[in-house]
């Protein structure tokens, strides 16, 4: 762990590619700690700006609080120096506070605050929820604008004014007008992260709106491709981006869209295909079928040849 000040962490994260490492499971669906360490060592050997553990792609929603804390601790112990490790917090407010404190105790550099569980809420309720987490931890926090956690530009601004360690806004909704309002009202006070599923698809247009980075799930199994794609986005090399989308990203999406929840399942299938198996997903997710895995393996074979 590096002792990043909030502004220092924000500067590191906004200037490079981000990713969410999977959580490997063994045959009994217990966390496979040895494989997790190997995966994190490999992932952090590349020029990645930050790794978010126990999040969406890491099946954080299926981990027990103890497992999530253990995954965070392993990541802090394993990831090479210079790569920030960010944990996650989710559930109701009391659960999110407990998750945040456990992740901080594990030594993470920052946190992604996922939406509160299930219930709809008001902007006042969201402000109170995020405030409670921010007041319970000293580590830097990024909020995830997704599902029932739809933060208005004004709510984001109130949080930014009150809490110096609130550093970022990650978006998974892709509402252009809303993003414009958040960006216009908050300016450079925050960093803005793309979080739509298979974020590469939207990376170039969102760059022009101030989202200088995004979380890449495919970095898990094809890190060189993911970094090359990100470099093309930051260079605004539209022909190259479009070519990579056409040749790989769209056929990949065709497979991902065959089943609900495949955004996670396909990542583990990709690791299996490249010879770095990490086990199955936990229910209620399910693995790709054998035919779907073969289709992905064929696509990846064409990418590497």
């Amino acid at each position: 762990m590096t002792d990043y000040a909030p502004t220092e962490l924000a500067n590191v994260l906004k200037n490079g590619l981000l990713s969410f490492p999977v959580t490997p499971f063994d045959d009994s669906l217990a966390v496979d700690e040895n494989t997790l360490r190997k995966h994190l060592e490999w992932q952090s050997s590349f020029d990645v700006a930050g790794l978010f553990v126990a999040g969406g792609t890491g099946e954080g929603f299926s981990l027990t609080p103890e497992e999530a804390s253990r995954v965070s601790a392993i990541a802090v112990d394993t990831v090479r120096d210079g790569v920030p490790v960010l944990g996650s917090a989710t559930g109701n407010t009391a659960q999110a506070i407990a998750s945040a404190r456990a992740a901080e105790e594990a030594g993470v550099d920052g946190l992604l605050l996922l939406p509160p569980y299930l219930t709809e809420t008001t902007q006042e309720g969201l402000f109170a929820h995020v405030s409670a987490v921010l007041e319970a931890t000293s580590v830097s926090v990024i909020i995830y604008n997704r599902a029932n956690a739809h933060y208005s530009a004004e709510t984001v601004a109130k949080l930014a004014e009150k809490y110096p360690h609130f550093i970022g806004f990650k978006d998974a909704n892709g509402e252009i007008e809303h993003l414009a309002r958040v960006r216009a009202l908050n300016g450079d006070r925050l960093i803005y992260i793309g979080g739509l599923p298979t974020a590469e698809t939207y990376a170039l247009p969102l760059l022009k709106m101030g989202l200088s980075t995004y979380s890449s799930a495919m970095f898990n199994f094809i890190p060189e491709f993911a970094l090359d794609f990100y470099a093309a986005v930051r260079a605004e090399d539209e022909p190259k981006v479009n070519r990579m989308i056409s040749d790989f990203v769209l056929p990949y999406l065709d497979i991902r869209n065959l089943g609900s929840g495949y955004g996670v399942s396909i990542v583990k299938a990709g690791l299996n295909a490249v010879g770095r198996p990490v086990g199955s997903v936990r229910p209620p997710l399910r693995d790709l079928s054998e035919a779907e895995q073969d289709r992905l393996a064929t696509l990846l074979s064409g990418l590497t040849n």
Side-chain angles (χ1 to χ4, degrees):
M1 175 182 175
T2 302
D3 189 16
Y4 291 99
T7 53
E8 292 172 333
L9 180 61
N11 191 57
V12 171
L13 297 178
K14 74 179 183 180
N15 286 306
L17 184 64
L18 309 173
S19 189
F20 283 69
V22 299
T23 302
F25 299 129
D26 63 21
D27 290 343
S28 65
L29 293 183
V31 175
D32 184 339
E33 295 190 2
N34 288 334
T35 302
L36 175 61
R37 289 182 184 276
K38 292 176 183 177
H39 184 58
L40 291 169
E41 287 172 354
W42 183 57
Q43 292 279 277
S44 67
S45 71
F46 294 92
D47 187 19
V48 64
L51 294 174
F52 291 72
V53 297
T57 305
E59 297 178 73
F61 46 81
S62 77
L63 300 177
T64 67
E66 294 77 16
E67 287 173 331
S69 178
R70 180 62 180 155
V71 166
S72 293
I74 289 171
V76 169
D77 184 57
T78 305
V79 168
R80 71 169 170 85
D81 290 344
V83 177
V85 172
L86 295 95
S88 66
T90 189
N92 61 44
T93 303
Q95 291 168 333
I97 288 172
S99 296
R101 286 174 171 165
E104 181 174 16
E105 186 175 345
V108 299
D109 297 295
L111 284 169
L112 179 66
L113 179 57
L114 281 77
Y117 177 69
L118 195 60
T119 186
E120 286 73 33
T121 185
T122 62
Q123 290 301 308
E124 292 81 5
L126 285 172
F127 180 82
H129 175 73
V130 179
S131 294
V133 174
L134 283 161
E135 289 171 7
T137 181
S138 63
V139 299
S140 298
V141 173
I142 297 166
I143 58 172
Y144 201 177
N145 189 66
R146 180 173 182 168
N148 59 327
H150 193 280
Y151 299 94
S152 71
E154 292 76 17
T155 297
V156 175
K158 285 172 59 181
L159 290 165
E161 181 179 6
K162 187 173 182 180
Y163 300 103
H165 62 306
F166 167 49
I167 66 168
F169 179 87
K170 181 179 180 183
D171 180 70
N173 291 334
E175 298 173 4
I176 300 302
E177 180 180 333
H178 181 245
L179 285 173
R181 291 181 183 276
V182 172
R183 184 75 174 83
L185 190 58
N186 292 278
D188 292 335
R189 166 63 182 81
L190 300 172
I191 60 171
Y192 304 92
I193 301 171
L196 285 157
T198 311
E200 282 83 358
T201 318
Y202 314 91
L204 189 55
L206 291 181
L207 175 70
K208 299 179 186 299
M209 296 198 65
L211 282 72
S212 63
T213 187
Y214 54 88
S215 54
S216 172
M218 62 178 63
F219 179 83
N220 272 276
F221 58 97
I222 45 171
E224 296 94 340
F225 176 90
L227 288 166
D228 191 31
F229 190 99
Y230 178 72
V233 169
R234 291 302 300 265
E236 299 189 48
D237 187 344
E238 188 170 348
K240 182 173 181 178
V241 169
N242 288 339
R243 183 173 66 254
M244 296 177 81
I245 287 177
S246 177
D247 290 349
F248 181 80
V249 177
L250 293 180
Y252 175 84
L253 292 179
D254 289 340
I255 303 170
R256 188 205 69 186
N257 292 340
L258 292 173
S260 297
Y262 270 14
V264 177
S265 305
I266 196 171
V267 177
K268 285 194 164 178
L271 278 158
N272 291 336
V274 299
R276 292 180 173 270
V278 290
S280 298
V281 293
R282 276 181 175 173
L285 300 180
R286 72 169 179 85
D287 293 322
L288 271 62
S289 70
E290 185 175 346
E292 290 162 348
Q293 292 185 53
D294 289 345
R295 183 172 167 183
L296 177 61
T298 299
L299 178 63
L300 287 167
S301 176
L303 180 68
T304 56
N305 288 340

